[in-house]
Amino acid sequence: MSAVTVKPKKIRIGDLLIEHKIISQEQLNAALAEQKKSGRKLGRVLIENGYLTEDQLLDFLARQLNIPYIDLKRYHLKPEVVHLIPETHARRFRVLALEEGRDSLLIGMADPTDIFAYDELARVLRRPLRLAVVREADLLKAIDLMYRRTDEISGLAQELDQEMSAYDVDLDQLSGAEGLTDAPVVKLLQTMFEDAVQVNASDIHIEPDERELRIRFRLDGVLRVQTTAERRIASALLSRLKLMAGLDISEKRLPQDGRFNVRVRDKSVDVRLSTLPVQYGESAVMRLLNQTTGVLDLAQLGMPEVLLARFRRMIHSPHGMVLVTGPTGSGKTTTLYGALRELNKPTSKVITVEDPIEYRLPGINQVQVNSKINLTFGRVLRSVLRQDPDIVLVGEMRDQETAEIGLRAALTGHLVLSTLHTNDAVSTPSRLLDMGAAPFLIAASLRGILAQRLVRRICESCSEPLALEPGMRVVAEQELGRPADGLDFRRGRGCTYCNHTGYHGRIGVYELLEMDDSLVQALHRGDPLAFAQAAKMQPGFLSLKRSAVELAARGLTTMDQVMRATFGLED
């Protein structure tokens, strides 16, 4: 790549696009009129109106300005180079430092015709600049990923440690009452939350060890170490978090649970805090619930269309019980909230009994279970049924009392939605029978069961074809019942966007069972074996394993993830 610096030319992009017959004069006039109203850039208006694609525009700009067009998805970004441009300038001017030469810096710009941005960057960086054009969405994503707060968090943790050393006091005795550590603690927490929201972490773990304090984020279901710090700051950090959650800061011997709300970059994040006394202090786990994103629509969960239509039919029944099953962290609550969002109408009364309440849903009466005052699932459920509800959501079927009240409610004209911890849909009635529920009650009340898992999704930016090893190939062909040739098995090579893991995000795997005559008869007899055999003979029934292999065959996840998610499930 040439080291000659290129200053942006002022070009009339609309006229040039017409000249090269890419758009018509009428399209340009319409876009200019819209631009005048909205104040957005002409290129963005042309793309949003469908007059040309973003790739067409970027290729055209690259040719006209004689600069390269770089696909950031396939470009290896170096943090030390990217950070040559301050984050404020990178976000303001939509620009990213890509490559440092001996006498110049290659920068990627979403709008390489922006002369003002170029001049300002040249003034700040004090070095010759070379230009490349990049896709704006990729650039913004890269900025979020590259300008992490890792160093800042480590620096603030050190600052807090130094401040505490200077005063040489025992923070366990102070219990956070003194103000000397307030400012660094607040800064550290603020930066930690900002970084967690920026990378879409679901949980933050703060864990004291013998010599250090470890802070980890859970991303796409996997824990990653964010930073380590001196253990002595743990007490100050925990005290501040407890104050925010309204917990007892002097109580360090018992587990405590609380919640608070933080505002991060115009996003409202609900934080559920759980503390636990461990060998070297207190461990804290914070579950982050982004209230700005809100509850997902059922169509956004990634269910196959046929399965989604069947599930919708089940939840729109006027009465009966629908169960969503799976292990902890498999997305059961997200699915149920998606169902509630669809069912929540002014003509229906909806009451939920939860422990804890995860998302606040407008128009729905949500009850928080509190075992300390004997406000149990069973006790709340009895009162709920006297509130004339149409739909009841029970957070979890935990015991015989809850199961029986829920099943009887489903039998007496209510739609009851709930969750249960079972491996798959087929084994769910056995679990209810083990809990002591009567077979006739299960048979008469149950409408359907949805079992689910979450598997990691292959990163789209670095996805590449993969030839399966013989063992995996045999498993895939057995499940699919057809040869693996011609199927799109893939893997993630690893890139900047996925933190070189090959995965980005997660996708649901589902198994749906609708009750029919053969299943009801097996339940009436209390015969789990006959129920399992009848379930597998149901037309259109797909096991969790088969559904997961189908996702792998479509190039959405890997066979490795399939085996992890369905390991131990019976064929």
Side-chain angles (χ1 to χ4, degrees):
M1 214 173 280
S2 168
V4 177
T5 58
V6 179
K7 181 164 180 172
K9 293 183 231 171
K10 188 72 180 169
I11 61 172
R12 294 179 65 83
I13 192 170
D15 295 340
L16 283 170
L17 287 168
I18 290 171
E19 191 182 312
H20 288 78
K21 297 186 169 55
I22 295 173
I23 63 169
S24 67
Q25 184 65 54
E26 290 74 23
Q27 288 173 329
L28 176 61
N29 292 342
L32 286 168
E34 193 171 322
Q35 183 200 22
K36 202 171 178 181
K37 280 188 215 163
S38 65
R40 286 174 302 163
K41 296 199 172 184
L42 179 62
R44 182 54 46 197
V45 174
L46 289 166
I47 292 163
E48 286 173 4
N49 285 2
Y51 298 150
L52 77 171
T53 66
E54 188 168 14
D55 284 338
Q56 276 179 305
L57 179 63
L58 296 180
D59 278 331
F60 178 76
L61 279 173
R63 285 198 310 274
Q64 289 298 313
L65 296 169
N66 195 24
I67 61 174
Y69 164 39
I70 290 177
D71 184 356
L72 285 179
K73 285 182 179 175
R74 307 200 175 279
Y75 195 85
H76 183 65
L77 293 167
K78 303 179 191 76
E80 66 276 11
V81 175
V82 170
H83 286 94
L84 291 172
I85 299 177
E87 184 182 358
T88 49
H89 289 75
R91 291 188 184 280
R92 182 182 170 196
F93 299 127
R94 301 284 200 265
V95 63
L96 207 62
L98 302 176
E99 189 181 303
E100 189 175 24
R102 274 183 298 178
D103 54 359
S104 64
L105 181 68
L106 176 67
I107 61 170
M109 293 184 76
D111 179 10
T113 65
D114 190 339
I115 295 170
F116 172 75
Y118 179 92
D119 288 342
E120 184 66 16
L121 284 168
R123 185 186 67 77
V124 170
L125 298 171
R126 295 181 181 175
R127 66 170 79 189
L129 303 177
R130 290 178 289 135
L131 285 179
V133 61
V134 296
R135 196 181 289 111
E136 186 173 17
D138 292 346
L139 179 132
L140 292 173
K141 199 172 173 185
I143 287 173
D144 277 347
L145 287 166
M146 297 306 293
Y147 288 96
R148 294 288 305 277
R149 301 291 192 277
T150 307
D151 294 339
E152 200 176 333
I153 290 171
S154 299
L156 286 166
Q158 284 175 7
E159 184 187 327
L160 178 58
D161 181 45
Q162 286 163 8
E163 191 155 336
M164 287 166 62
S165 302
Y167 282 85
D168 197 23
V169 291
D170 184 356
L171 266 165
D172 284 339
Q173 291 174 3
L174 286 178
S175 300
E178 295 286 342
L180 66 104
T181 57
D182 259 15
V185 168
V186 171
K187 276 188 210 165
L188 175 57
L189 287 172
Q190 188 178 4
T191 310
M192 189 168 65
F193 283 126
E194 276 185 17
D195 197 41
V197 169
Q198 192 163 303
V199 295
N200 205 23
S202 60
D203 302 83
I204 299 173
H205 291 237
I206 299 173
E207 302 157 326
D209 219 325
E210 186 177 4
R211 291 187 179 85
E212 64 184 21
L213 177 73
R214 189 170 59 239
I215 298 174
R216 299 194 285 176
F217 288 177
R218 190 176 290 280
L219 302 168
D220 298 335
V222 179
L223 277 172
R224 294 204 183 95
V225 175
Q226 171 67 3
T227 191
T228 54
E230 287 292 326
R231 188 171 72 86
R232 75 166 97 195
I233 75 167
S235 183
L237 211 53
L238 261 294
S239 293
R240 187 71 200 192
L241 286 169
K242 284 180 179 178
L243 283 170
M244 290 165 76
L247 303 180
D248 182 355
I249 60 171
S250 63
E251 180 55 81
K252 295 176 170 59
R253 300 163 302 165
L254 295 172
Q256 294 189 70
D257 293 296
R259 69 191 303 160
F260 56 91
N261 195 273
V262 290
R263 195 145 193 90
V264 183
R265 292 190 170 194
D266 297 326
K267 290 178 182 173
S268 176
V269 180
D270 208 16
V271 182
R272 269 191 8 225
L273 172 68
S274 169
T275 69
L276 183 73
V278 292
Q279 188 178 7
Y280 296 106
E282 284 181 285
S283 166
V285 175
M286 288 176 279
R287 168 65 55 89
L288 308 181
L289 302 163
N290 193 338
Q291 301 292 331
T292 312
T293 310
V295 176
L296 289 177
D297 190 273
L298 276 179
Q300 296 173 291
L301 297 179
M303 282 189 206
E305 286 297 325
V306 177
L307 190 142
L308 178 60
R310 289 168 59 205
F311 183 64
R312 277 191 162 132
R313 190 165 63 242
M314 276 168 24
I315 63 169
H316 281 93
S317 301
H319 55 83
M321 178 179 280
V322 177
L323 291 172
V324 180
T325 75
T328 303
S330 59
K332 301 185 296 293
T333 307
T334 303
T335 301
L336 282 181
Y337 276 1
L340 278 189
R341 178 176 170 170
E342 192 161 305
L343 294 169
N344 186 16
K345 302 280 190 297
T347 50
S348 299
K349 173 139 183 166
V350 184
I351 302 179
T352 74
V353 187
E354 302 172 70
D355 183 23
I357 295 170
E358 294 208 9
Y359 286 95
R360 272 89 170 186
L361 301 168
I364 288 177
N365 303 278
Q366 295 174 272
V367 182
Q368 166 81 53
V369 169
N370 187 346
S371 54
K372 289 177 188 171
I373 56 169
N374 200 27
L375 193 66
T376 60
F377 274 105
R379 188 170 180 180
V380 175
L381 260 179
R382 284 197 196 89
S383 300
V384 160
L385 297 178
R386 292 194 287 271
Q387 290 278 312
D388 188 29
D390 298 292
I391 300 160
V392 179
L393 182 143
V394 184
E396 187 187 336
M397 291 288 169
R398 290 188 179 176
D399 49 42
Q400 181 181 356
E401 183 188 25
T402 310
E404 288 208 339
I405 298 170
L407 287 164
R408 289 186 189 283
L411 202 59
T412 54
H414 305 90
L415 175 66
V416 179
L417 307 175
S418 189
T419 70
L420 202 60
H421 287 277
T422 60
N423 281 336
D424 54 19
V426 176
S427 62
T428 299
S430 299
R431 177 85 180 91
L432 288 170
L433 289 168
D434 290 344
M435 287 167 73
F440 79 90
L441 204 52
I442 304 170
S445 306
L446 204 55
R447 285 285 169 272
I449 308 157
L450 179 77
Q452 65 181 72
R453 294 284 190 286
L454 290 175
V455 292
R456 298 177 78 188
R457 189 192 279 268
I458 293 172
C459 173
E460 290 178 13
S461 302
C462 60
S463 174
E464 62 182 20
L466 173 71
L468 289 182
E469 59 182 67
M472 288 291 194
R473 189 184 180 91
V474 169
V475 171
E477 289 180 341
Q478 281 178 346
E479 283 298 324
L480 297 171
R482 60 185 190 271
D485 297 326
L487 298 174
D488 191 22
F489 289 99
R490 305 180 78 83
R491 68 162 191 167
R493 188 178 62 254
C495 66
T496 307
Y497 287 111
C498 59
N499 203 18
H500 302 284
T501 61
Y503 297 102
H504 186 71
R506 290 188 288 177
I507 187 169
V509 179
Y510 302 95
E511 174 182 298
L512 184 65
L513 202 55
E514 286 183 274
M515 301 302 291
D516 60 17
D517 290 343
S518 60
L519 296 178
V520 169
Q521 284 165 16
L523 278 178
H524 261 299
R525 297 195 302 271
D527 188 345
L529 191 60
F531 180 89
Q533 288 170 343
K536 287 167 187 175
M537 297 298 290
Q538 233 188 20
F541 174 76
L542 285 181
S543 68
L544 274 169
K545 200 167 188 178
R546 170 74 185 271
S547 300
V549 174
E550 292 276 8
L551 287 179
R554 286 164 49 202
L556 296 174
T557 190
T558 60
M559 282 300 293
D560 180 53
Q561 283 292 303
V562 170
M563 301 310 289
R564 284 170 185 269
T566 61
F567 179 77
L569 292 181
E570 293 298 321
D571 291 331

